[in-house]
Amino acid sequence: MKHRYLPLTESDKKEMLDAIGVSSIEELFEDIPEKVRFKGTYNLKEAKAEPLLKRELSQLAAKNANNKQYASFLGAGVYDHYAPSIVDHVISRSEFYTAYTPYQPEISQGELQAIFEFQTMICELTGMDVANSSMYDGGTALAEAAMLSAGQTKRKKVLVSETVHPEARDVLRTYAKGQGIEVIEVPYKNGATDLESLNSLVDRDTAAVIVQYPNFFGVVEPLADVEKAAHGEGAMFVVSANPLSLGILTPPGKFGADIVVGDAQPFGIPAQFGGPHCGYFAVTKKLMRKVPGRLVGQTKDEEGQRGFVLTLQAREQHIRRDKATSNICSNQALNALAASVAMTALGKNGVRESAEQNLQKAHFAKEALKQQGVDIVFEAPTFNEFVIRLNKPVKDVNSQLLKQGIIGGYDLGLVYKELKNCMLVAVTEMRTKEEIELFAKEVGEHHE
Amino acid sequence: MSKKDQKLIFEMSQPGRIGYSLPELDVPRKDAAELLPDGYVREEAPELPEVSELDIMRHYTALSKRNHGVDSGFYPLGSCTMKYNPKINEDIARLDGLAHIHPLQQEETVQGALELMYDLQEHLKEITGMDEVTLQPAAGAHGEWTGLMMIRAFHEANGDFNRTKVIVPDSAHGTNPASAAVAGFETVTVKSGEDGLVDLEDLKRVVDETTAALMLTNPNTLGLFEENILEMAEIIHGVGGKLYYDGANLNAVMSKARPGDMGFDVVHLNLHKTFTGPHGGGGPGSGPVGVKADLMPFLPKPVLVKKDGMYQFDNERPQSIGRVKPFYGNFGINVRAYTYIRSMGPDGLKAVTEYAVLNANYMMRRLAPYFDLPYNRHSKHEFVLSGRRQKKLGVRTLDIAKRLLDFGYHPPTIYFPLNVEECMMIEPTETESKETLDAFIEAMIQIAKEAEETPEVVQEAPHTTVIGRLDETLAARKPVLRYEKEQ
Ligand SMILES: Cc1ncc(COP(=O)(O)O)c(C=O)c1O
């Protein structure tokens, strides 16, 4: 068997077998009982040479409509944003992407420092004291926040707004089942968490109140009121936030959030059919030792030189095993690096400008659609997404849009029964005025 | 590597400098205060760096030079399978039709992506001998929890609510007991015997009708094949429990033994180990889970199916444990794993395992005269040495690891598994040449000699890195977890 990834030659093998003192490789497998031995070869597709495989998979990829080729108005948690070219150049440096978790700090200072910078940027955006090195995604980060809250408050009930991403709520329910946590959904009114319902549901058994900011409908949730409801009963106040929106929105930390989670996908991470993205997890100083996953801290070497290490590891599975704060081991480090590069490139001014453009363009699109006679479902202020009502199935409209080079919005009727024929429209800074106008016109036409 | 502090990106920031290029806003600009509620327009800008594009590139290039990856040099980190990460994988994963597709697009617009996922599942079913596979879990630990939740749902569906315990060997990876805890189980530890294998008598002692599952890594974390696997399966199945396979070590047995044929009911794989997903400095990974037929109803939602020539997601799964992750898993990593499997083919995958095991045994035999070999038998893809002998000379395994840095190597996994004193766990992988193995062996022999003759050279290592040994106690006692601008 000759293969470009397998360097052993026949003479290597012979010398090695001699050194071991066996006559064949097969002998090394004699400890596998005869009864469970797999004989023969797998029934799989035969190996394909590099150029042929490249061609085959390129053709397969070409079967998918992608957002380089289409103008996308689809968001719902995954967005088409400006990804500076430099991002991919940095994460393609193989010293980063072919390294493992930085267990040996002396030869991993690059990764450790990059994560330390990532933690700092997430703190800056969210207005929190401490951020970890990343989570799998926004959904599992939210579930971990609920578990942390239950542990911290010793209470077993969490309230989650119906305006939180439906898939994140699904993930939360699965985790909650394992932990024996009760999940109660708080209904919405005019597109935001219904405060009256929230106030009547929250009580001394509530571990956490969880909202999303901006919420799944794009609406800017009244965090100040939610905070009062949560803290009034001693519950944790948990916010899932789109970090790019925090370029222009008051950060959850300012409203007294205890835990802020979310996904850094808007910063330079491609949609990739839903993953890998990059969950983040930020807390107040008080909760520092309860955080799941890895944390990088600053320290010194023997000569007093600054350096970075994985720290507060007594929280983690490799030390605490079944008493760990979470089971997470591998995280999304490379995507945290990508997000760091994108946040750095945007910088203090760019993140504001980018967020502002999202706000402005989405607002422009809303107005353009109104002019076409399309209903805007919720009046409340929104960031870069909003909900429209059509008088035919969203699926049909989207099929028509596709023919015009447009990927339409998300069909809310799939999850919210009361929002049949409603579309969640996302307008990022990537959409040009022409694209928005075309979208509005096409939707208007198919609407009639 | 030069011994110099690398500034933080924040310390390079200069007001007014930019590193981005956004088009001018082409729609009328309104005052943000008009569009957002009172009190919700951010007042203080986040302190992100203000740097030019070249500043950024130089900064991260400098950081990359302070990092060791597989492409930098040998990386025999046991249990992590640090094999070569093929470059075609990276190219394929970056194709527009795979990198830039949205998970909520209508199914007919992503048939190519679904076809790839489906075919990957089919390949993984054959490789593991399981009946169905889900690609959703994001990493190994996530797969463990997903698998355990399915086992829990299975027992509960049988009206069996008293199965509260999951058994894990003392040599198990930390995520095993941690995942059991997240899934709501109590963990019970089963001992390893003198031979490094699970002690069957102890196993019989700890199982009973409260046993939900036994989690096992095979070969185990000592690199030894659990020869009594069929007896263990019988013991667990005998009390109605399920057998869980931690597939982190699949590189050792591909084409030689399949978990499904060994009696395992649930399997997770780490595509970022055996199947060349790059580790990325700690992730992202991908941890697909395979199950036997009786667990299929409990698979996480949605399940990918093929109907009338179309691929689609099935959400009508009343017994499903629910969703474990938004969308469908770490697709980008799954694309890389698929590309790898298709590059290797069945013969290639068999050779992978054979050479991984050959490399490990060769190193083990050549190093045996110089270090203690706690288990003197054929290993699989990795093996453990003990630094007991060197410890008596005042040189600890940690010192040996640090000394290896001076030779340009990433050290082995150390102090794991927990049941071997001064443990070094070495996994060379099949992509390394004999020359590389020989050079590493020579370095280890030299260090063994230094431990006898000039122990301080080892004790004070590393001597050549950009930074010396770091004060971890200080880091934990006075945590500095973010940069703060000096006032
Ligand atoms: C034996 C074993 N099990 C489980 C895991 C956990 O995998 P992950 O880091 O992908 O969560 C690892 C890797 O760290 C491992 O080596």
Side-chain angles (χ1 to χ4, degrees):
Chain A
M1 174 74 205
K2 281 192 181 157
H3 196 285
R4 68 192 186 285
Y5 307 152
L6 302 173
L8 297 187
T9 65
E10 289 309 311
S11 73
D12 288 339
K13 279 184 244 173
K14 195 172 167 319
E15 272 178 58
M16 293 164 79
L17 289 170
D18 286 349
I20 300 168
V22 294
S23 56
S24 71
I25 293 180
E26 221 29 54
E27 269 181 58
L28 299 173
F29 291 93
E30 274 173 358
D31 51 353
I32 302 182
E34 198 50 33
K35 267 191 169 159
V36 300
R37 275 292 191 94
F38 182 79
K39 310 227 169 62
T41 42
Y42 288 140
N43 180 19
L44 299 177
K45 289 182 179 160
E46 289 302 328
K48 216 166 200 181
E50 184 166 14
L52 300 179
L53 185 58
K54 234 177 186 162
R55 188 184 307 163
E56 181 196 317
L57 295 180
S58 300
Q59 283 163 357
L60 188 71
K63 289 189 192 171
N64 304 319
N66 66 75
N67 61 23
K68 294 281 152 191
Q69 178 190 10
Y70 288 82
S72 175
F73 288 84
L74 180 56
V78 181
Y79 303 94
D80 179 27
H81 285 295
Y82 161 53
S85 291
I86 193 171
V87 173
D88 206 39
H89 284 271
V90 170
I91 66 165
S92 296
R93 287 197 66 93
S94 64
E95 298 87 342
F96 287 128
Y97 82 80
T98 71
Y100 201 74
T101 301
Y103 290 137
Q104 295 289 336
E106 295 88 346
I107 52 166
S108 312
Q109 281 303 298
E111 177 69 33
L112 288 160
Q113 182 171 333
I115 294 173
F116 183 80
E117 293 173 355
F118 172 79
Q119 293 175 178
T120 306
M121 294 182 208
I122 294 295
C123 288
E124 280 295 328
L125 281 167
T126 56
M128 302 300 285
D129 303 323
V130 175
N132 81 357
S133 63
S134 70
M135 305 295 288
Y136 301 138
D137 51 62
T140 55
L142 184 125
E144 293 265 10
M147 293 193 288
L148 192 168
S149 301
Q152 180 73 7
T153 58
K154 309 221 162 28
R155 299 176 181 181
K156 283 282 185 190
K157 180 169 88 182
V158 299
L159 301 185
V160 61
S161 172
E162 272 185 3
T163 62
V164 168
H165 198 296
E167 299 204 357
R169 278 185 282 137
D170 286 346
V171 173
L172 168 64
R173 270 191 292 268
T174 310
Y175 273 88
K177 176 119 205 303
Q179 293 288 298
I181 296 172
E182 187 189 1
V183 179
I184 295 175
E185 305 212 329
V186 184
Y188 65 90
K189 197 172 163 187
N190 302 330
T193 307
D194 179 23
L195 294 170
E196 217 170 291
S197 306
L198 173 61
N199 282 312
S200 70
L201 286 167
V202 66
D203 61 20
R204 302 305 290 179
D205 295 326
T206 308
V209 175
I210 307 174
V211 295
Q212 185 177 315
Y213 179 71
N215 72 23
F216 190 62
F217 303 135
V219 172
V220 179
E221 284 278 345
L223 293 193
D225 301 294
V226 179
E227 186 270 339
K228 278 195 207 97
H231 287 162
E233 298 291 342
M236 297 283 218
F237 175 32
V238 178
V239 180
S240 169
N242 173 346
L244 177 65
S245 75
L246 304 181
I248 189 141
L249 295 179
T250 306
K254 277 264 181 221
F255 292 105
D258 299 293
I259 307 175
V260 182
V261 296
D263 204 303
Q265 184 273 329
F267 291 122
I269 299 169
Q272 305 187 76
F273 208 41
H277 293 166
C278 179
Y280 73 83
F281 200 101
V283 296
T284 55
K285 197 153 230 152
K286 188 172 163 217
L287 298 174
M288 175 172 72
R289 286 170 201 274
K290 300 290 166 61
V291 167
R294 299 192 173 114
L295 284 170
V296 173
Q298 182 181 312
T299 184
K300 293 188 180 107
D301 75 356
E302 299 115 325
E303 289 165 22
Q305 189 186 321
R306 172 170 69 179
F308 303 91
V309 290
L310 292 173
T311 195
L312 302 182
Q313 297 191 67
R315 302 163 294 110
E316 289 186 69
Q317 46 75 29
H318 61 287
I319 313 272
R320 290 296 292 280
R321 300 176 78 83
D322 56 335
K323 302 282 186 303
T325 56
S326 164
N327 65 332
I328 191 169
C329 179
S330 289
N331 53 25
Q332 306 283 117
L334 193 70
N335 286 1
L337 178 65
S340 295
V341 180
M343 286 187 274
T344 300
L346 285 172
K348 187 176 178 174
N349 300 302
V351 77
R352 173 77 183 211
E353 175 60 18
S354 177
E356 173 104 32
Q357 290 204 9
N358 277 266
L359 177 72
Q360 300 289 353
K361 292 200 169 188
H363 180 76
F364 177 79
K366 226 193 243 184
E367 295 299 317
L369 282 156
K370 268 191 211 161
Q371 274 178 17
Q372 296 288 335
V374 179
D375 266 4
I376 307 296
V377 179
F378 305 119
E379 286 298 326
T382 53
F383 173 57
N384 67 356
E385 284 181 281
F386 56 89
V387 180
I388 58 176
R389 191 184 304 276
L390 307 171
N391 49 20
K392 28 170 144 156
V394 172
K395 196 175 185 328
D396 296 351
V397 175
N398 277 344
S399 299
Q400 293 300 322
L401 288 171
L402 201 64
K403 291 184 193 147
Q404 303 299 321
I406 292 171
I407 293 176
Y410 177 69
D411 183 355
L412 284 167
L414 294 174
V415 236
Y416 296 90
K417 289 204 175 55
E418 67 284 7
L419 296 177
K420 198 166 166 252
N421 295 351
C422 289
M423 184 196 276
L424 178 65
V425 179
V427 189
T428 72
E429 79 286 1
M430 297 295 278
R431 299 287 69 81
T432 62
K433 183 163 177 264
E434 290 71 44
E435 286 168 348
I436 297 170
E437 282 168 342
L438 177 66
F439 174 77
K441 182 170 143 282
E442 291 295 324
V443 170
E445 269 171 25
H446 297 298
H447 180 60
E448 262 122 90
Chain B
M1 295 194 210
S2 68
K3 284 218 187 207
K4 220 173 80 203
D5 187 54
Q6 171 64 29
K7 276 189 183 169
L8 290 165
I9 191 80
F10 306 97
E11 294 164 341
M12 298 161 62
S13 183
Q14 290 296 339
R17 217 167 256 167
I18 65 160
Y20 65 93
S21 163
L22 282 168
E24 286 297 316
L25 186 64
D26 57 359
V27 303
R29 190 185 288 261
K30 297 206 167 158
D31 188 357
E34 237 178 84
L35 302 177
L36 293 171
D38 265 2
Y40 286 79
V41 181
R42 185 166 189 142
E43 283 172 358
E44 275 166 61
E47 284 298 331
L48 297 181
E50 299 185 72
V51 286
S52 73
E53 189 165 317
L54 177 57
D55 289 338
I56 303 172
M57 203 62 217
R58 288 229 175 105
H59 175 67
Y60 285 105
T61 302
L63 289 186
S64 74
K65 288 186 188 160
R66 302 172 145 234
N67 224 47
H68 181 100
V70 173
D71 288 0
S72 321
F74 189 41
Y75 212 130
L77 188 65
S79 203
C80 300
T81 314
M82 299 302 285
K83 55 170 79 174
Y84 173 62
N85 300 133
K87 303 312 163 197
I88 181 181
N89 298 0
E90 298 302 312
D91 289 348
I92 300 298
R94 282 171 171 80
L95 293 170
D96 284 349
L98 298 175
H100 300 288
I101 51 177
H102 193 291
L104 300 172
Q105 274 174 233
Q106 303 201 24
E107 279 162 3
E108 55 276 18
T109 68
V110 287
Q111 285 295 304
L114 298 179
E115 183 181 334
L116 186 154
M117 288 172 64
Y118 192 87
D119 204 36
L120 175 58
Q121 290 182 0
E122 292 299 304
H123 279 71
L124 295 178
K125 275 157 69 175
E126 170 70 6
I127 290 169
T128 56
M130 305 305 280
D131 295 319
E132 193 54 88
V133 166
T134 172
L135 299 176
Q136 289 183 42
H142 199 214
E144 291 168 17
W145 166 77
T146 301
L148 291 171
M149 288 301 290
M150 291 170 68
I151 289 173
R152 185 179 157 142
F154 169 86
H155 289 313
E156 290 182 1
N158 292 333
D160 204 347
F161 291 90
N162 296 323
R163 295 195 179 265
T164 51
K165 291 178 191 149
V166 167
I167 302 171
V168 297
D170 52 9
S171 61
H173 192 265
T175 51
N176 291 186
S179 299
V182 178
F185 292 109
E186 202 181 307
T187 41
V188 179
T189 305
V190 58
K191 283 197 289 246
S192 305
E194 292 286 291
D195 56 1
L197 305 179
V198 169
D199 180 339
L200 282 187
E201 289 314 307
D202 199 45
L203 181 63
K204 283 182 199 153
R205 194 180 59 75
V206 296
V207 297
D208 58 25
E209 65 292 341
T210 63
T211 303
L214 166 67
M215 296 181 85
L216 204 65
T217 312
N218 198 13
N220 64 25
T221 58
L222 299 164
L224 306 177
F225 193 86
E226 296 281 356
E227 300 174 349
N228 305 317
I229 182 60
L230 291 175
E231 288 82 345
M232 291 161 81
E234 231 177 83
I235 294 170
I236 292 300
H237 290 152
V239 296
K242 291 286 179 193
L243 198 55
Y244 184 98
Y245 184 83
D246 176 337
N249 292 346
L250 195 75
N251 215 42
V253 290
M254 269 193 301
S255 306
K256 297 294 173 186
R258 304 191 305 174
D261 303 334
M262 293 184 225
F264 285 94
D265 302 289
V266 185
V267 174
H268 90 255
L269 301 177
N270 281 6
L271 297 189
H272 46 301
K273 294 184 177 176
T274 313
F275 299 100
T276 68
H279 287 72
S286 176
V289 170
V291 294
K292 287 285 178 61
D294 56 350
L295 284 147
M296 275 162 50
F298 310 101
L299 282 165
K301 281 198 267 198
V303 175
L304 181 59
V305 295
K306 192 175 176 183
K307 236 191 223 158
D308 312 323
M310 284 278 287
Y311 298 95
Q312 43 190 257
F313 286 114
D314 180 9
N315 271 298
E316 298 306 312
R317 313 283 295 195
Q319 287 189 291
S320 165
I321 59 167
R323 222 175 230 295
V324 298
K325 191 183 186 315
F327 316 118
Y328 327 113
N330 279 345
F331 177 76
I333 304 301
N334 296 338
V335 169
R336 288 167 172 88
Y338 181 71
T339 307
Y340 174 68
I341 293 172
R342 297 291 314 279
S343 300
M344 300 312 296
D347 295 325
L349 291 178
K350 188 188 219 166
V352 162
T353 286
E354 290 183 347
Y355 299 170
V357 171
L358 178 61
N359 277 357
N361 279 279
Y362 172 71
M363 288 182 82
M364 179 174 85
R365 290 302 161 194
R366 288 218 40 211
L367 287 170
Y370 307 92
F371 297 87
D372 277 13
L373 180 64
Y375 305 104
N376 187 8
R377 46 173 281 192
H378 296 326
S379 71
K380 293 276 90 50
H381 65 307
E382 66 191 4
F383 62 99
V384 296
L385 294 176
S386 165
R388 263 184 304 236
R389 201 184 308 175
Q390 286 71 27
K391 191 182 174 188
K392 291 199 192 101
L393 303 167
V395 170
R396 300 205 51 203
T397 284
L398 180 70
D399 303 322
I400 297 172
K402 297 301 179 196
R403 183 68 180 129
L404 277 168
L405 302 178
D406 290 329
F407 292 85
Y409 297 119
H410 193 289
T413 295
I414 52 174
Y415 300 105
F416 179 81
L418 309 171
N419 50 339
V420 172
E421 191 192 347
E422 295 293 310
C423 189
M424 285 176 266
M425 183 199 214
I426 305 178
E427 179 179 12
T429 86
E430 74 286 357
T431 58
E432 298 297 339
S433 67
K434 180 167 175 297
E435 293 89 316
T436 302
L437 304 186
D438 285 337
F440 180 82
I441 290 164
E442 290 310 320
M444 286 289 282
I445 294 173
Q446 183 182 325
I447 295 170
K449 217 179 256 166
E450 286 172 352
E452 288 175 6
E453 295 165 4
T454 50
E456 65 286 355
V457 174
V458 189
Q459 288 155 344
E460 288 162 18
H463 305 277
T464 56
T465 50
V466 293
I467 197 144
R469 289 196 201 184
L470 288 153
D471 188 345
E472 307 211 1
T473 316
L474 173 71
R477 203 168 290 153
K478 286 195 186 150
V480 178
L481 306 176
R482 54 157 300 175
Y483 166 76
E484 307 253 15
K485 206 171 178 175
E486 278 172 42
Q487 297 300 328

